[in-house]
Amino acid sequence: GTVLTVRGFGLSQNATVTVGGKECEVVLAADTELKCRTPAGAAGLQAVTVTVGNKSETANTTFTYDNNLTPQISGLSPHTAYVTGDQLLTIQGSNLGGQDNNSVVFVGAKRCLTEQWTETQISCHLPVMPPGVYQVDVHVGNRGFPQTSSGVNASIRYILDVYRISPLSGSLMGGTMLTVSGSGFSNDTSDIKVSVGSSDCEVVSASQNQLQCIIESEEKRHVVTNQGSHLTYGLGYAWSPSSLQVFVGDTVMWRWEAPAFQSVGYRVFSVSSPSGTEYDGGPLNSGGAKTAQGRDLIGSQFPGSRLSYCKL
């Protein structure tokens, strides 16, 4: 993880660098200078070799892997976290250096926001992450990556589990108090969103292991207009949308307005079939007289899950 600078002539972006026979990842390349990030290696002197095409050249100086300069991680806590993040991650060790622009802690691919950085301890605020296990990577300035002591787990598990919900049924119109048990929840109700199907469930109380929410109604409001296009008569002579699926509690409003310069009137009423032209005594009837402009509303009167046919 140390950024190694190699200077010379005839270098290029196609150059490769090895340290002790292992690839040193090139991060910057120019004709007279290369910068690469060193691989892990054994303590001691290691040869640095640059290859361009089929030609290789070994530097007349070596790179030294030094135990005394290698950062060490001896402990990390906590090993579990909540998906909302912001918990304080503490890393203990030695040779951790001081905080500078090149020192950083990553949890997975996200940065852990540093609060404190000393030679022996790093504290940072965990980022928001989805549930899962993530590796904690520390980069100590140009000293490189630290060595993790044997037995130290350098990963962290983000938890969000749902074990049980109760009750398992409730009213179509909402209002049921739902209890959700699990782990990894937040004490702050504003952090949590719960949905049941397409309905929201308003969270009223929460702890790390349980929350309660009130299910909202699934009722919807639909608008149907006469702005559909008829194959023969054109715009203004067909319903839009032409079909609609509604459920108990839904509200449907019909609106109509005659096309400009057209002397035409409208009624809205239920019919028994798509080809029907007479009112069948069903739930919808805008009245006996046709009007050029108007609206009609029908609410939660639907006896089943599909609206009876309506004629324009």
Side-chain angles (χ1 to χ4, degrees):
T2 300
V3 176
L4 176 67
T5 301
V6 180
R7 295 186 177 90
F9 298 97
L11 309 178
S12 74
Q13 293 183 350
N14 297 320
T16 60
V17 183
T18 60
V19 178
K22 296 180 180 179
E23 183 178 358
C24 186
E25 180 191 2
V26 176
V27 295
L28 184 67
D31 291 341
T32 58
E33 184 177 278
L34 299 172
K35 289 183 182 291
C36 66
R37 199 174 298 281
T38 57
L45 305 177
Q46 302 291 344
V48 178
T49 302
V50 178
T51 301
V52 179
N54 59 358
K55 300 295 183 182
S56 297
E57 184 72 23
T58 299
N60 55 13
T61 54
T62 57
F63 179 82
T64 303
Y65 285 97
D66 190 341
N67 276 325
N68 295 325
L69 295 178
T70 302
Q72 302 286 333
I73 291 180
S74 58
L76 180 151
S77 65
H79 287 290
T80 59
Y82 305 120
V83 294
T84 50
D86 203 40
Q87 289 174 267
L88 199 63
L89 175 66
T90 302
I91 301 168
Q92 293 93 19
S94 59
N95 285 334
L96 298 177
Q99 185 174 1
D100 61 38
N101 292 336
N102 295 318
S103 295
V104 64
V105 178
F106 285 100
V107 178
K110 287 191 176 181
R111 187 168 185 160
C112 191
L113 186 62
T114 303
E115 181 175 278
Q116 183 184 42
W117 196 306
T118 69
E119 282 281 351
T120 58
Q121 181 170 297
I122 303 168
S123 298
C124 60
H125 292 272
L126 289 169
V128 175
M129 298 287 278
V133 178
Y134 299 92
Q135 188 70 24
V136 177
D137 292 316
V138 181
H139 192 176
V140 184
N142 205 36
R143 294 188 186 183
F145 302 126
Q147 189 174 49
T148 303
S149 300
S150 177
V152 174
N153 179 11
S155 65
I156 187 167
R157 179 173 178 254
Y158 277 72
I159 299 173
L160 181 60
D161 294 318
V162 175
Y163 304 144
R164 182 173 58 256
I165 62 170
S166 176
L168 298 179
S169 60
S171 171
L172 286 171
M173 300 307 294
T176 300
M177 176 75 79
L178 189 68
T179 300
V180 183
S181 302
S183 61
F185 302 161
S186 171
N187 293 319
D188 187 348
T189 57
S190 64
D191 286 340
I192 307 170
K193 181 178 179 180
V194 181
S195 59
V196 181
S198 59
S199 295
D200 289 335
C201 192
E202 182 184 1
V203 180
V204 295
S205 67
S207 66
Q208 301 294 345
N209 301 310
Q210 182 173 287
L211 63 86
Q212 288 187 311
C213 62
I214 299 174
I215 302 174
E216 297 180 359
S217 173
E218 284 199 355
E219 62 184 352
K220 297 179 181 178
R221 183 181 179 90
H222 310 271
V223 177
V224 181
T225 74
N226 69 316
Q227 296 307 303
S229 182
H230 190 278
L231 289 176
T232 302
Y233 302 109
L235 187 67
Y237 289 86
W239 292 126
S240 178
S242 59
S243 65
L244 189 66
Q245 184 140 354
V246 295
F247 296 88
V248 173
D250 285 4
T251 299
V252 182
M253 176 176 284
W254 277 264
R255 293 176 179 167
W256 59 91
E257 184 174 359
F261 310 113
Q262 297 291 319
S263 179
V264 61
Y266 300 86
R267 287 179 63 203
V268 184
F269 53 83
S270 301
V271 293
S272 58
S273 69
S275 59
T277 58
E278 300 295 331
Y279 174 54
D280 68 352
L284 182 62
N285 187 359
S286 64
K290 295 180 181 181
T291 59
Q293 185 177 18
R295 67 181 185 177
D296 198 13
L297 181 69
I298 184 166
S300 54
Q301 306 174 28
F302 303 114
S305 64
R306 192 165 184 87
L307 180 66
S308 48
Y309 300 105
C310 297
K311 206 68 178 176
L312 174 61

Short mmCIF file of all heavy atoms in Angstrom, two decimals, residues 229-277:
data_model
loop_
_atom_site.label_atom_id
_atom_site.label_comp_id
_atom_site.label_asym_id
_atom_site.label_seq_id
_atom_site.Cartn_x
_atom_site.Cartn_y
_atom_site.Cartn_z
N SER A 229 -59.65 8.74 -27.40
CA SER A 229 -59.87 8.92 -28.83
C SER A 229 -60.66 7.74 -29.40
O SER A 229 -60.26 6.59 -29.24
CB SER A 229 -58.53 9.06 -29.56
OG SER A 229 -58.74 9.28 -30.94
N HIS A 230 -61.80 8.05 -30.07
CA HIS A 230 -62.64 7.04 -30.71
C HIS A 230 -62.14 6.83 -32.14
O HIS A 230 -61.72 7.78 -32.82
CB HIS A 230 -64.09 7.51 -30.71
CG HIS A 230 -65.07 6.46 -31.14
ND1 HIS A 230 -65.32 6.18 -32.46
CD2 HIS A 230 -65.85 5.64 -30.41
CE1 HIS A 230 -66.22 5.22 -32.53
NE2 HIS A 230 -66.57 4.87 -31.29
N LEU A 231 -62.17 5.57 -32.62
CA LEU A 231 -61.64 5.28 -33.96
C LEU A 231 -62.39 6.05 -35.05
O LEU A 231 -61.80 6.45 -36.06
CB LEU A 231 -61.74 3.77 -34.23
CG LEU A 231 -60.76 2.89 -33.44
CD1 LEU A 231 -61.03 1.41 -33.72
CD2 LEU A 231 -59.32 3.23 -33.83
N THR A 232 -63.69 6.29 -34.84
CA THR A 232 -64.49 6.97 -35.87
C THR A 232 -64.62 8.46 -35.60
O THR A 232 -64.41 9.29 -36.49
CB THR A 232 -65.89 6.34 -35.96
OG1 THR A 232 -65.75 4.95 -36.24
CG2 THR A 232 -66.72 7.03 -37.04
N TYR A 233 -64.92 8.81 -34.34
CA TYR A 233 -65.27 10.20 -34.05
C TYR A 233 -64.11 11.03 -33.51
O TYR A 233 -64.20 12.25 -33.43
CB TYR A 233 -66.43 10.23 -33.05
CG TYR A 233 -67.65 9.51 -33.56
CD1 TYR A 233 -68.05 8.30 -33.02
CD2 TYR A 233 -68.40 10.05 -34.61
CE1 TYR A 233 -69.16 7.63 -33.50
CE2 TYR A 233 -69.51 9.39 -35.10
CZ TYR A 233 -69.89 8.17 -34.53
OH TYR A 233 -70.99 7.52 -35.02
N GLY A 234 -63.00 10.36 -33.13
CA GLY A 234 -61.82 11.10 -32.69
C GLY A 234 -61.83 11.45 -31.21
O GLY A 234 -62.52 10.84 -30.40
N LEU A 235 -61.06 12.50 -30.86
CA LEU A 235 -60.84 12.90 -29.48
C LEU A 235 -62.14 13.42 -28.85
O LEU A 235 -62.88 14.19 -29.47
CB LEU A 235 -59.76 13.99 -29.42
CG LEU A 235 -59.28 14.41 -28.02
CD1 LEU A 235 -58.54 13.25 -27.36
CD2 LEU A 235 -58.38 15.64 -28.12
N GLY A 236 -62.38 12.99 -27.61
CA GLY A 236 -63.55 13.47 -26.87
C GLY A 236 -64.71 12.51 -26.91
O GLY A 236 -65.77 12.80 -26.34
N TYR A 237 -64.55 11.35 -27.57
CA TYR A 237 -65.66 10.41 -27.73
C TYR A 237 -65.33 9.02 -27.16
O TYR A 237 -65.90 8.02 -27.58
CB TYR A 237 -66.05 10.30 -29.20
CG TYR A 237 -66.72 11.54 -29.73
CD1 TYR A 237 -65.96 12.59 -30.23
CD2 TYR A 237 -68.10 11.67 -29.71
CE1 TYR A 237 -66.56 13.75 -30.71
CE2 TYR A 237 -68.71 12.82 -30.18
CZ TYR A 237 -67.94 13.85 -30.69
OH TYR A 237 -68.55 14.99 -31.16
N ALA A 238 -64.39 8.99 -26.20
CA ALA A 238 -64.06 7.72 -25.54
C ALA A 238 -63.50 8.03 -24.15
O ALA A 238 -62.90 9.09 -23.93
CB ALA A 238 -63.04 6.92 -26.35
N TRP A 239 -63.73 7.09 -23.24
CA TRP A 239 -63.21 7.26 -21.89
C TRP A 239 -61.69 7.07 -21.86
O TRP A 239 -61.13 6.27 -22.61
CB TRP A 239 -63.84 6.26 -20.92
CG TRP A 239 -65.29 6.44 -20.64
CD1 TRP A 239 -66.27 5.50 -20.76
CD2 TRP A 239 -65.94 7.61 -20.16
NE1 TRP A 239 -67.48 6.01 -20.40
CE2 TRP A 239 -67.31 7.32 -20.02
CE3 TRP A 239 -65.51 8.90 -19.85
CZ2 TRP A 239 -68.24 8.25 -19.57
CZ3 TRP A 239 -66.43 9.83 -19.41
CH2 TRP A 239 -67.77 9.51 -19.27
N SER A 240 -61.03 7.81 -20.98
CA SER A 240 -59.60 7.64 -20.74
C SER A 240 -59.35 7.67 -19.22
O SER A 240 -59.66 8.68 -18.59
CB SER A 240 -58.80 8.74 -21.42
OG SER A 240 -57.42 8.60 -21.14
N PRO A 241 -58.88 6.56 -18.66
CA PRO A 241 -58.56 5.29 -19.31
C PRO A 241 -59.81 4.53 -19.73
O PRO A 241 -60.89 4.76 -19.21
CB PRO A 241 -57.80 4.52 -18.22
CG PRO A 241 -58.34 5.07 -16.94
CD PRO A 241 -58.59 6.51 -17.21
N SER A 242 -59.64 3.62 -20.68
CA SER A 242 -60.79 2.90 -21.22
C SER A 242 -61.27 1.79 -20.27
O SER A 242 -62.41 1.35 -20.36
CB SER A 242 -60.43 2.29 -22.58
OG SER A 242 -59.33 1.41 -22.44
N SER A 243 -60.39 1.32 -19.39
CA SER A 243 -60.79 0.34 -18.38
C SER A 243 -60.04 0.64 -17.09
O SER A 243 -58.97 1.27 -17.11
CB SER A 243 -60.49 -1.08 -18.85
OG SER A 243 -59.09 -1.26 -19.00
N LEU A 244 -60.62 0.20 -16.00
CA LEU A 244 -60.07 0.55 -14.70
C LEU A 244 -60.43 -0.53 -13.69
O LEU A 244 -61.59 -0.94 -13.63
CB LEU A 244 -60.64 1.90 -14.27
CG LEU A 244 -60.06 2.57 -13.04
CD1 LEU A 244 -58.61 2.97 -13.29
CD2 LEU A 244 -60.88 3.82 -12.69
N GLN A 245 -59.47 -1.00 -12.93
CA GLN A 245 -59.74 -1.96 -11.87
C GLN A 245 -59.78 -1.22 -10.54
O GLN A 245 -58.85 -0.49 -10.19
CB GLN A 245 -58.66 -3.04 -11.83
CG GLN A 245 -58.95 -4.12 -10.80
CD GLN A 245 -58.61 -5.52 -11.31
OE1 GLN A 245 -58.25 -5.66 -12.48
NE2 GLN A 245 -58.74 -6.50 -10.47
N VAL A 246 -60.87 -1.39 -9.81
CA VAL A 246 -61.04 -0.70 -8.54
C VAL A 246 -61.37 -1.71 -7.45
O VAL A 246 -61.82 -2.82 -7.73
CB VAL A 246 -62.15 0.37 -8.63
CG1 VAL A 246 -61.77 1.47 -9.59
CG2 VAL A 246 -63.48 -0.26 -9.03
N PHE A 247 -61.15 -1.28 -6.19
CA PHE A 247 -61.37 -2.14 -5.05
C PHE A 247 -62.23 -1.43 -4.02
O PHE A 247 -62.42 -0.20 -4.09
CB PHE A 247 -60.03 -2.56 -4.44
CG PHE A 247 -59.19 -3.40 -5.37
CD1 PHE A 247 -58.31 -2.80 -6.27
CD2 PHE A 247 -59.28 -4.78 -5.37
CE1 PHE A 247 -57.54 -3.56 -7.13
CE2 PHE A 247 -58.52 -5.55 -6.23
CZ PHE A 247 -57.65 -4.95 -7.11
N VAL A 248 -62.71 -2.19 -3.07
CA VAL A 248 -63.54 -1.62 -2.01
C VAL A 248 -62.82 -0.46 -1.35
O VAL A 248 -61.65 -0.58 -0.98
CB VAL A 248 -63.87 -2.71 -0.96
CG1 VAL A 248 -64.59 -2.09 0.23
CG2 VAL A 248 -64.73 -3.80 -1.58
N GLY A 249 -63.50 0.66 -1.23
CA GLY A 249 -62.90 1.86 -0.64
C GLY A 249 -62.38 2.85 -1.65
O GLY A 249 -62.13 4.01 -1.32
N ASP A 250 -62.21 2.44 -2.91
CA ASP A 250 -61.72 3.35 -3.94
C ASP A 250 -62.78 4.37 -4.33
O ASP A 250 -63.98 4.15 -4.18
CB ASP A 250 -61.30 2.58 -5.20
CG ASP A 250 -59.98 1.85 -5.02
OD1 ASP A 250 -59.45 1.89 -3.90
OD2 ASP A 250 -59.49 1.26 -5.98
N THR A 251 -62.31 5.51 -4.84
CA THR A 251 -63.19 6.56 -5.34
C THR A 251 -62.87 6.80 -6.81
O THR A 251 -61.70 6.92 -7.18
CB THR A 251 -62.99 7.87 -4.55
OG1 THR A 251 -63.31 7.64 -3.18
CG2 THR A 251 -63.87 8.98 -5.10
N VAL A 252 -63.91 6.86 -7.64
CA VAL A 252 -63.74 7.14 -9.07
C VAL A 252 -64.53 8.38 -9.43
O VAL A 252 -65.71 8.48 -9.10
CB VAL A 252 -64.19 5.95 -9.95
CG1 VAL A 252 -63.95 6.27 -11.42
CG2 VAL A 252 -63.45 4.68 -9.56
N MET A 253 -63.89 9.33 -10.10
CA MET A 253 -64.58 10.53 -10.57
C MET A 253 -64.53 10.58 -12.10
O MET A 253 -63.46 10.43 -12.69
CB MET A 253 -63.95 11.79 -10.00
CG MET A 253 -64.59 13.08 -10.53
SD MET A 253 -63.93 14.56 -9.78
CE MET A 253 -64.76 14.50 -8.20
N TRP A 254 -65.71 10.75 -12.71
CA TRP A 254 -65.78 10.96 -14.17
C TRP A 254 -65.89 12.45 -14.44
O TRP A 254 -66.66 13.15 -13.77
CB TRP A 254 -67.01 10.25 -14.75
CG TRP A 254 -66.79 8.79 -15.02
CD1 TRP A 254 -66.44 8.20 -16.20
CD2 TRP A 254 -66.90 7.72 -14.08
NE1 TRP A 254 -66.33 6.84 -16.06
CE2 TRP A 254 -66.61 6.51 -14.77
CE3 TRP A 254 -67.22 7.65 -12.72
CZ2 TRP A 254 -66.63 5.28 -14.15
CZ3 TRP A 254 -67.23 6.41 -12.10
CH2 TRP A 254 -66.94 5.25 -12.82
N ARG A 255 -65.14 12.91 -15.41
CA ARG A 255 -65.22 14.31 -15.84
C ARG A 255 -65.37 14.33 -17.35
O ARG A 255 -64.72 13.54 -18.05
CB ARG A 255 -63.96 15.08 -15.45
CG ARG A 255 -63.78 15.26 -13.95
CD ARG A 255 -62.46 15.94 -13.64
NE ARG A 255 -62.28 16.15 -12.20
CZ ARG A 255 -61.15 16.47 -11.63
NH1 ARG A 255 -60.07 16.64 -12.37
NH2 ARG A 255 -61.07 16.64 -10.33
N TRP A 256 -66.20 15.21 -17.86
CA TRP A 256 -66.36 15.31 -19.30
C TRP A 256 -66.57 16.75 -19.74
O TRP A 256 -67.08 17.58 -18.99
CB TRP A 256 -67.53 14.43 -19.78
CG TRP A 256 -68.87 14.77 -19.19
CD1 TRP A 256 -69.79 15.64 -19.67
CD2 TRP A 256 -69.42 14.23 -17.98
NE1 TRP A 256 -70.89 15.68 -18.87
CE2 TRP A 256 -70.69 14.82 -17.82
CE3 TRP A 256 -68.98 13.31 -17.02
CZ2 TRP A 256 -71.52 14.52 -16.75
CZ3 TRP A 256 -69.80 13.01 -15.96
CH2 TRP A 256 -71.05 13.61 -15.83
N GLU A 257 -66.11 17.02 -20.93
CA GLU A 257 -66.25 18.34 -21.53
C GLU A 257 -66.29 18.17 -23.04
O GLU A 257 -65.42 17.52 -23.63
CB GLU A 257 -65.08 19.25 -21.14
CG GLU A 257 -65.23 20.67 -21.66
CD GLU A 257 -64.13 21.58 -21.13
OE1 GLU A 257 -63.27 21.11 -20.36
OE2 GLU A 257 -64.13 22.77 -21.51
N ALA A 258 -67.32 18.73 -23.67
CA ALA A 258 -67.49 18.57 -25.11
C ALA A 258 -66.35 19.24 -25.87
O ALA A 258 -65.84 20.29 -25.45
CB ALA A 258 -68.82 19.17 -25.55
N PRO A 259 -65.89 18.65 -26.99
CA PRO A 259 -64.87 19.29 -27.81
C PRO A 259 -65.35 20.66 -28.29
O PRO A 259 -66.55 20.91 -28.44
CB PRO A 259 -64.71 18.31 -28.98
CG PRO A 259 -65.20 17.00 -28.47
CD PRO A 259 -66.31 17.34 -27.52
N ALA A 260 -64.41 21.55 -28.53
CA ALA A 260 -64.73 22.91 -28.97
C ALA A 260 -65.56 22.87 -30.26
O ALA A 260 -65.30 22.05 -31.16
CB ALA A 260 -63.44 23.69 -29.20
N PHE A 261 -66.55 23.72 -30.30
CA PHE A 261 -67.43 23.91 -31.47
C PHE A 261 -68.27 22.67 -31.78
O PHE A 261 -68.79 22.53 -32.88
CB PHE A 261 -66.60 24.29 -32.72
CG PHE A 261 -65.64 25.42 -32.48
CD1 PHE A 261 -64.27 25.19 -32.51
CD2 PHE A 261 -66.09 26.70 -32.19
CE1 PHE A 261 -63.37 26.21 -32.27
CE2 PHE A 261 -65.19 27.73 -31.96
CZ PHE A 261 -63.84 27.49 -32.01
N GLN A 262 -68.40 21.77 -30.81
CA GLN A 262 -69.22 20.57 -31.00
C GLN A 262 -70.46 20.66 -30.10
O GLN A 262 -70.34 20.93 -28.91
CB GLN A 262 -68.42 19.30 -30.67
CG GLN A 262 -67.22 19.06 -31.57
CD GLN A 262 -67.62 18.69 -32.98
OE1 GLN A 262 -68.56 17.93 -33.20
NE2 GLN A 262 -66.92 19.25 -33.95
N SER A 263 -71.60 20.44 -30.66
CA SER A 263 -72.84 20.44 -29.88
C SER A 263 -73.16 19.01 -29.50
O SER A 263 -73.82 18.27 -30.25
CB SER A 263 -73.99 21.05 -30.71
OG SER A 263 -75.18 21.03 -29.97
N VAL A 264 -72.62 18.59 -28.36
CA VAL A 264 -72.78 17.22 -27.94
C VAL A 264 -72.92 17.18 -26.43
O VAL A 264 -72.37 18.03 -25.73
CB VAL A 264 -71.56 16.35 -28.40
CG1 VAL A 264 -70.28 16.85 -27.80
CG2 VAL A 264 -71.77 14.89 -28.07
N GLY A 265 -73.70 16.22 -25.92
CA GLY A 265 -73.89 16.08 -24.48
C GLY A 265 -73.49 14.68 -24.02
O GLY A 265 -73.35 13.75 -24.81
N TYR A 266 -73.31 14.54 -22.71
CA TYR A 266 -72.82 13.29 -22.15
C TYR A 266 -73.66 12.88 -20.95
O TYR A 266 -74.18 13.71 -20.21
CB TYR A 266 -71.36 13.43 -21.68
CG TYR A 266 -70.39 13.81 -22.77
CD1 TYR A 266 -70.19 15.15 -23.11
CD2 TYR A 266 -69.67 12.85 -23.45
CE1 TYR A 266 -69.30 15.51 -24.11
CE2 TYR A 266 -68.78 13.19 -24.45
CZ TYR A 266 -68.60 14.52 -24.78
OH TYR A 266 -67.71 14.88 -25.75
N ARG A 267 -73.77 11.57 -20.78
CA ARG A 267 -74.27 10.96 -19.55
C ARG A 267 -73.29 9.85 -19.15
O ARG A 267 -72.60 9.30 -20.00
CB ARG A 267 -75.65 10.32 -19.76
CG ARG A 267 -76.81 11.26 -19.89
CD ARG A 267 -78.09 10.48 -20.13
NE ARG A 267 -78.41 9.62 -18.98
CZ ARG A 267 -79.18 8.54 -19.05
NH1 ARG A 267 -79.69 8.17 -20.22
NH2 ARG A 267 -79.44 7.84 -17.98
N VAL A 268 -73.28 9.53 -17.88
CA VAL A 268 -72.48 8.40 -17.40
C VAL A 268 -73.42 7.50 -16.61
O VAL A 268 -74.10 7.96 -15.70
CB VAL A 268 -71.32 8.86 -16.50
CG1 VAL A 268 -70.45 7.67 -16.10
CG2 VAL A 268 -70.47 9.90 -17.19
N PHE A 269 -73.47 6.22 -16.98
CA PHE A 269 -74.32 5.29 -16.23
C PHE A 269 -73.81 3.86 -16.40
O PHE A 269 -73.05 3.55 -17.31
CB PHE A 269 -75.78 5.40 -16.69
CG PHE A 269 -75.98 5.24 -18.17
CD1 PHE A 269 -76.06 3.98 -18.76
CD2 PHE A 269 -76.11 6.37 -18.99
CE1 PHE A 269 -76.27 3.85 -20.13
CE2 PHE A 269 -76.31 6.24 -20.35
CZ PHE A 269 -76.40 4.98 -20.93
N SER A 270 -74.24 3.01 -15.48
CA SER A 270 -73.86 1.60 -15.51
C SER A 270 -74.67 0.86 -16.55
O SER A 270 -75.86 1.12 -16.74
CB SER A 270 -74.11 0.96 -14.14
OG SER A 270 -73.38 1.61 -13.13
N VAL A 271 -74.00 -0.07 -17.23
CA VAL A 271 -74.68 -0.96 -18.17
C VAL A 271 -74.28 -2.40 -17.83
O VAL A 271 -73.31 -2.64 -17.12
CB VAL A 271 -74.31 -0.63 -19.63
CG1 VAL A 271 -74.86 0.73 -20.03
CG2 VAL A 271 -72.80 -0.67 -19.84
N SER A 272 -75.03 -3.34 -18.32
CA SER A 272 -74.83 -4.73 -17.94
C SER A 272 -73.75 -5.44 -18.76
O SER A 272 -73.28 -6.50 -18.38
CB SER A 272 -76.15 -5.51 -18.06
OG SER A 272 -76.64 -5.42 -19.38
N SER A 273 -73.36 -4.86 -19.89
CA SER A 273 -72.34 -5.47 -20.74
C SER A 273 -71.66 -4.39 -21.57
O SER A 273 -72.19 -3.28 -21.69
CB SER A 273 -72.98 -6.52 -21.67
OG SER A 273 -73.80 -5.88 -22.63
N PRO A 274 -70.51 -4.69 -22.18
CA PRO A 274 -69.82 -3.67 -22.98
C PRO A 274 -70.66 -3.12 -24.12
O PRO A 274 -70.47 -1.97 -24.53
CB PRO A 274 -68.59 -4.42 -23.51
CG PRO A 274 -68.35 -5.50 -22.53
CD PRO A 274 -69.70 -5.93 -22.07
N SER A 275 -71.59 -3.91 -24.63
CA SER A 275 -72.40 -3.45 -25.75
C SER A 275 -73.70 -2.80 -25.30
O SER A 275 -74.48 -2.32 -26.12
CB SER A 275 -72.72 -4.63 -26.68
OG SER A 275 -73.42 -5.64 -25.98
N GLY A 276 -73.95 -2.77 -23.98
CA GLY A 276 -75.20 -2.21 -23.48
C GLY A 276 -75.30 -0.72 -23.70
O GLY A 276 -74.30 0.00 -23.70
N THR A 277 -76.52 -0.23 -23.91
CA THR A 277 -76.75 1.21 -24.14
C THR A 277 -77.80 1.78 -23.19
O THR A 277 -78.12 2.96 -23.28
CB THR A 277 -77.20 1.45 -25.58
OG1 THR A 277 -78.39 0.70 -25.83
CG2 THR A 277 -76.10 1.06 -26.56
#
